[in-house]
Amino acid sequence: MKKKVTEVVAALIWDGDRFLICQRPAHKARGLLWEFVGGKVELGETKEQALVRECREELAVTISVGEVFMDVDHDYPDLNVHLTLFNAAIIEGTPKMLEHNDIRWITPEEIPQYEFCPADEAILRKLQHENV
């Protein structure tokens, strides 16, 4: 039986030459792996609305959502995700760790130092190539 696809959104938030990454809580699936802030799109939400809500819930910031940076389809053992990563900017607030184990601002050159969720691999390759 084919698993249904879960629509997920994430934000690529820049601060100068660094972008924000978040470490998943240890008790969650893919615990302690790094990812972009975001989450599932709920019924009746647009992707942009979901992303604004997730950033408020997880980081206590208000963002403005820009263009789509990349779309990724990934099959995990427990779910299939269609991930849409948007360029985004913080318009209000300073990121706080409300849900994550840790949050960091890193440059594309520092990507290899972190272990990311598998769905993010293609995105990270694109980030590294665009900043070479």
Side-chain angles (χ1 to χ4, degrees):
M1 193 185 104
K2 189 152 168 44
K3 297 188 285 278
K4 81 177 190 55
V5 174
T6 302
E7 284 292 336
V8 177
V9 289
L12 177 57
I13 301 171
W14 289 92
D15 178 21
D17 63 348
R18 299 178 310 155
F19 62 94
L20 186 69
I21 60 171
C22 304
Q23 189 177 38
R24 292 177 64 82
H27 64 275
K28 283 198 167 173
R30 290 163 286 288
L32 300 183
L33 290 180
W34 292 85
E35 64 180 0
F36 298 95
V37 62
K40 294 185 181 82
V41 179
E42 292 180 359
L43 208 62
E45 279 184 322
T46 66
K47 290 181 177 184
E48 289 85 350
Q49 287 168 331
L51 194 53
V52 169
R53 175 184 51 76
E54 287 284 348
C55 287
R56 194 172 291 136
E57 288 173 1
E58 296 186 0
L59 297 174
V61 295
T62 305
I63 60 158
S64 64
V65 181
E67 299 292 304
V68 172
F69 180 79
M70 194 170 177
D71 277 288
V72 177
D73 289 293
H74 188 82
D75 295 343
Y76 284 111
D78 54 333
L79 83 166
N80 292 358
V81 296
H82 176 246
L83 169 66
T84 306
L85 182 72
F86 289 90
N87 281 305
I90 293 173
I91 49 177
E92 199 180 332
T94 303
K96 295 181 179 58
M97 287 190 297
L98 300 181
E99 294 214 356
H100 293 94
N101 196 56
D102 197 1
I103 54 178
R104 303 239 173 112
W105 294 94
I106 69 166
T107 63
E109 294 75 46
E110 292 170 317
I111 289 170
Q113 299 168 25
Y114 296 88
E115 197 177 336
F116 283 85
C117 292
D120 294 332
E121 297 291 333
I123 293 166
L124 296 161
R125 278 196 297 277
K126 183 174 174 181
L127 275 169
Q128 286 171 296
H129 290 301
E130 290 200 351
N131 289 281
V132 170

